[in-house]
């Protein structure tokens, strides 16, 4: 239970407490700011009292809030870390985008490494952020009007047991497909004038290849009809190896798609069975081989922390992923959102093993010439770790960088697509989500189009 006299800090203090496997039964927090630049934080944690006095330079109201937040989180982290004898990979940082924080520090003329050290981020994670910022050079661009387009296809062949995305098996949703495609066409047509400077297009899911050839062609045709997709990075998150076919790949090529995802998740057939993926490792290789002659940039997704996998199994998987020569490899850490109990058990039981897996992936990928180029953390991420996208030099995905760093607008069409407008100068971001379930989205598409048009004015 938490009480604080600083309401805006409540969630952030709770986020710090949630980092730990053991939690205090009660936290009482009192904050005072009496003199210029002196911050007082007092905590009572399970009956024990702690008080801190920190100093920082305050030039405006925004900086004041930033420092209030920073000191309160850091001090609680120190108390709990000492109390429970546990240190976290990202120290007292709880946000999902450490690189954004680093950019903010750099833009203020500061050194993000000093801040990260103060927040007790592990040395290797400070290095990771530095490498990501280096890999983003030349792509990262803070310019209003830059826009990425996302087309949502929330259909899958079957639902994988671990998956936290809003998507459903196509057998249950096929009846909505014709109306859904009508809506996408309308949305894309209406979006024509809204895109100022197109940076990339991403048709994602779900599993876009769960659609049959004719339906997929409708989506590609509508996308290309609405914007000059062929002239920019154009990704289709084709997805699960069991739905790949030559016809679908040819279609992508014909419509100017230049990047695809073929996702094994793991290179163990045993794990694939346990997580209900309904395909084998051989299916992955078949899909990969099939795609080779089309000269796409290929991304493959892996997940660390899948059911009963050991660091050794995972290591073999990373080696095999590297052997494929894919330009991009994304390493996710398992994050379970539903079923709080299970979610918590997994996060904490697996802590050490997941951190070991992540360390292995970083070592193997760096040694093989891959660079980390974007990352994000999620709540309930196993081991308090992160997801990292790795790339061969000069093959980084623009879409992933823009989305994670939040420097460009995102025009999302379809169910559960979240559009975003960014005013870089003011540091302001607004979001507009659309309905999550298919019938509601379909029924409300007229209103969605009107809202979106206004949103992008
Ligand atoms: C939107 S999914 C689409 C990929 C595609 N449908 C497939 O399964 O091949 C993107 C990626 O998120 C990752 N993912 C999904 N659920 C996850 C979870 N619970 N924890 C960690 N990563 C997850 C998987 O690696 C997946 O490939
Ligand atoms: S196929 Fe992909 S999006 Fe669909 S349920 Fe599995 S991991 Fe999730």
């Amino acid at each position: 239970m938490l009480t604080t006299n600083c309401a805006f800090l409540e969630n952030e203090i709770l986020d710090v407490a949630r980092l730990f496997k053991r939690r205090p039964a009660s936290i009482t927090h009192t904050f005072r700011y009496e003199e210029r630049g002196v911050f007082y934080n007092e905590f009572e944690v399970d009956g024990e009292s702690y008080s801190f006095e920190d100093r920082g330079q305050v030039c405006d109201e925004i900086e004041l809030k930033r420092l209030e937040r920073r000191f309160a989180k850091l001090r609680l982290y120190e108390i709990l870390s000492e109390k429970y004898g546990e240190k976290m990979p990202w120290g007292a940082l709880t946000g999902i985008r450490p690189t954004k924080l680093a950019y903010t520090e750099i833009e203020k003329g500061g050194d993000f490494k000093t801040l990260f050290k103060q927040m007790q981020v592990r040395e290797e994670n400070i290095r990771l952020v530095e490498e990501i910022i280096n890999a983003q050079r030349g792509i990262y661009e803070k310019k209003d009007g830059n826009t990425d387009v996302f087309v949502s296809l929330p259909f899958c062949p079957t639902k994988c047991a671990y998956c936290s995305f809003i998507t459903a098996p196509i057998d249950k949703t096929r009846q909505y497909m014709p109306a859904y495609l009508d809506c996408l066409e309308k949305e894309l047509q209406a979006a024509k004038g809204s895109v100022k400077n197109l940076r990339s297009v991403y048709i994602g899911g779900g599993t876009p290849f769960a659609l049959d050839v004719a339906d997929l062609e409708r989506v590609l045709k509508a996308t290309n009809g609405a914007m000059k997709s062929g002239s920019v990075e154009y990704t289709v998150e084709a997805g699960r190896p069991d739905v790949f076919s030559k016809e679908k790949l040819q279609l992508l090529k014909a419509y100017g798609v230049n990047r695809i995802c073929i996702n094994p998740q793991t290179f163990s057939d045993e794990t694939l069975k346990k997580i209900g993926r309904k395909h084998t490792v051989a299916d992955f290789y078949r899909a990969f081989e099939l795609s080779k002659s089309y000269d796409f940039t290929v991304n493959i997704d892996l997940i660390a922390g899948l059911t009963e996998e050991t660091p050794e199994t995972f290591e073999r998987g990373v080696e095999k992923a590297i052997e494929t020569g894919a330009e991009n490899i994304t390493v996710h850490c398992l994050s379970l959102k539903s079923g709080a109990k299970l979610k918590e058990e997994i996060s904490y039981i697996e802590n050490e093993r997941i951190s070991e897996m992540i360390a292995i992936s970083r070592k193997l990928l760096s040694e093989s010439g891959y660079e980390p180029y974007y990352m994000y953390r999620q709540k309930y991420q196993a081991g308090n770790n992160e997801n990292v996208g790795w790339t061969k030099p000069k093959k980084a995905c623009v879409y992933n960088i823009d989305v994670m760093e939040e420097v460009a607008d995102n025009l999302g069409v379809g169910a559960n697509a979240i559009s975003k407008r960014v005013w870089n100068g003011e540091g302001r971001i607004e979001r507009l989500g659309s309905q999550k379930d298919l019938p509601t989205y379909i029924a409300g598409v007229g209103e969605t189009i009107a809202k979106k048009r206004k949103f992008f004015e």
Side-chain angles (χ1 to χ4, degrees):
M1 206 193 63
L2 169 74
T3 40
T4 172
N5 67 340
C6 222
F8 86 99
L9 282 180
E10 199 171 313
N11 283 336
E12 308 220 25
I13 292 177
L14 281 174
D15 281 345
V16 172
R18 285 192 194 108
L19 293 173
F20 294 86
K21 178 176 174 179
R22 282 179 290 163
R23 310 251 170 92
S26 77
I27 304 175
T28 307
H29 169 241
T30 316
F31 173 75
R32 278 184 300 124
Y33 182 73
E34 286 169 2
E35 305 157 42
R36 275 186 76 78
V38 188
F39 297 76
Y40 299 96
N41 279 291
E42 280 165 18
F43 286 96
E44 201 177 291
V45 179
D46 288 346
E48 279 186 64
S49 301
Y50 307 82
S51 48
F52 304 93
E53 195 182 304
D54 290 290
R55 278 159 209 279
Q57 261 198 337
V58 180
C59 48
D60 56 23
E61 199 55 31
I62 297 174
E63 190 62 17
L64 177 71
K65 289 269 172 295
R66 200 176 276 149
L67 291 176
E68 277 182 39
R69 191 176 284 125
R70 185 176 301 167
F71 292 131
K73 287 172 73 172
L74 175 62
R75 294 313 193 178
L76 179 63
Y77 173 79
E78 284 173 349
I79 295 169
L80 299 181
S81 171
E82 175 75 26
K83 191 174 162 74
Y84 301 130
E86 217 184 338
K87 288 201 187 304
M88 297 299 150
W90 292 91
L93 290 192
T94 55
I96 61 172
R97 295 182 170 89
T99 42
K100 258 192 96 168
L101 181 60
Y103 275 119
T104 308
E105 278 305 291
I106 293 167
E107 280 155 18
K108 279 196 311 184
D111 173 15
F112 85 89
K113 288 184 242 170
T114 310
L115 168 64
F116 278 36
K117 269 185 201 140
Q118 183 190 17
M119 297 303 273
Q120 304 202 11
V121 176
R122 279 187 197 154
E123 204 48 56
E124 64 267 27
N125 282 345
I126 298 180
R127 249 195 335 269
L128 177 76
V129 169
E130 195 173 20
E131 283 169 19
I132 290 174
I133 289 175
N134 284 338
Q136 291 186 351
R137 216 159 267 149
I139 301 177
Y140 178 93
E141 186 177 67
K142 267 189 148 176
K143 193 166 126 206
D144 288 4
N146 276 357
T147 310
D148 301 284
V149 171
F150 177 75
V151 182
S152 167
L153 292 174
F155 304 92
C156 286
T158 56
K159 181 93 186 181
C160 308
Y162 57 85
C163 181
S164 40
F165 286 82
I166 296 175
T167 173
I170 197 159
D171 277 351
K172 293 205 177 112
T173 50
R174 202 184 301 277
Q175 80 258 33
Y176 299 114
M177 186 66 80
Y180 188 74
L181 297 181
D182 289 347
C183 292
L184 286 187
E185 284 167 353
K186 283 185 198 150
E187 274 220 71
L188 283 161
Q189 193 55 29
K192 232 175 177 173
S194 303
V195 175
K196 293 176 191 84
N197 181 30
L198 182 68
R199 295 259 293 171
S200 71
V201 176
Y202 196 102
I203 300 180
T207 306
F209 270 13
L211 274 65
D212 62 32
V213 175
D215 288 343
L216 194 58
E217 182 158 23
R218 276 185 70 181
V219 178
L220 293 162
K221 198 180 255 173
T223 307
N224 288 15
M227 32 225 118
K228 285 197 179 127
S229 314
S231 58
V232 295
E233 175 189 283
Y234 191 175
T235 301
V236 173
E237 195 179 27
R240 249 173 59 172
D242 44 338
V243 281
F244 269 63
S245 74
K246 248 189 165 145
E247 292 71 22
K248 290 177 194 169
L249 290 162
Q250 268 160 2
L251 195 66
L252 300 193
K253 201 71 200 167
Y255 279 85
V257 173
N258 44 40
R259 184 173 179 275
I260 59 168
C261 305
I262 316 172
N263 301 316
Q265 314 298 358
T266 168
F267 280 83
S268 153
D269 276 330
E270 206 182 315
T271 311
L272 283 169
K273 238 184 242 154
K274 284 184 194 147
I275 59 176
R277 273 290 277 190
K278 304 273 192 302
H279 67 80
T280 60
V281 175
D283 289 333
F284 163 76
Y285 282 118
R286 187 189 59 84
F288 199 90
E289 280 305 309
L290 214 54
S291 311
K292 258 190 178 162
S293 54
Y294 299 94
D295 201 26
F296 294 115
T297 295
V298 173
N299 170 73
I300 68 184
D301 280 352
L302 294 175
I303 303 179
L306 288 173
T307 330
E308 291 164 34
E309 283 207 346
T310 61
E312 292 71 34
T313 328
F314 184 71
E315 179 168 6
R316 275 197 300 280
V318 177
E319 281 165 356
K320 287 185 176 155
I322 293 170
E323 271 165 26
T324 64
E327 287 79 3
N328 298 162
I329 298 178
T330 311
V331 181
H332 298 90
C333 287
L334 184 66
S335 147
L336 291 172
K337 288 187 182 163
S338 55
K341 194 159 180 304
L342 179 66
K343 154 188 96 191
E344 289 183 8
E345 272 170 18
I346 296 263
S347 298
Y348 297 113
I349 292 168
E350 308 287 329
N351 258 4
E352 285 309 310
R353 283 204 319 192
I354 304 268
S355 295
E356 203 181 325
M357 291 179 192
I358 292 310
I360 289 169
S361 69
R362 286 191 192 176
K363 181 171 180 292
L364 292 178
L365 285 155
S366 310
E367 284 172 0
S368 311
Y370 286 85
E371 301 164 352
Y373 78 99
Y374 83 101
M375 65 154 293
Y376 64 103
R377 302 171 65 209
Q378 277 173 291
K379 286 192 173 164
Y380 319 125
Q381 191 104 52
N384 281 312
N385 284 294
E386 63 288 316
N387 302 323
V388 179
W390 295 80
T391 184
K392 287 194 169 173
K394 309 246 175 292
K395 292 286 178 183
C397 168
V398 175
Y399 183 85
N400 287 332
I401 292 177
D402 282 1
V403 167
M404 288 310 155
E405 304 308 341
E406 301 195 297
V407 285
D409 291 349
N410 192 295
L411 193 148
V413 301
N416 195 34
I418 297 165
S419 295
K420 194 160 52 180
R421 279 210 72 183
V422 179
W423 289 267
N424 285 296
E426 300 164 45
R428 182 157 67 97
I429 296 175
E430 285 181 20
R431 291 180 178 78
L432 177 72
S434 47
Q435 301 87 337
K436 290 183 174 149
D437 87 296
L438 297 176
T440 321
Y441 164 75
I442 291 165
V445 75
E447 205 184 317
T448 301
I449 288 172
K451 272 196 201 157
K452 222 169 271 180
R453 198 172 269 149
K454 209 162 177 341
F455 187 69
F456 280 98
E457 258 170 19

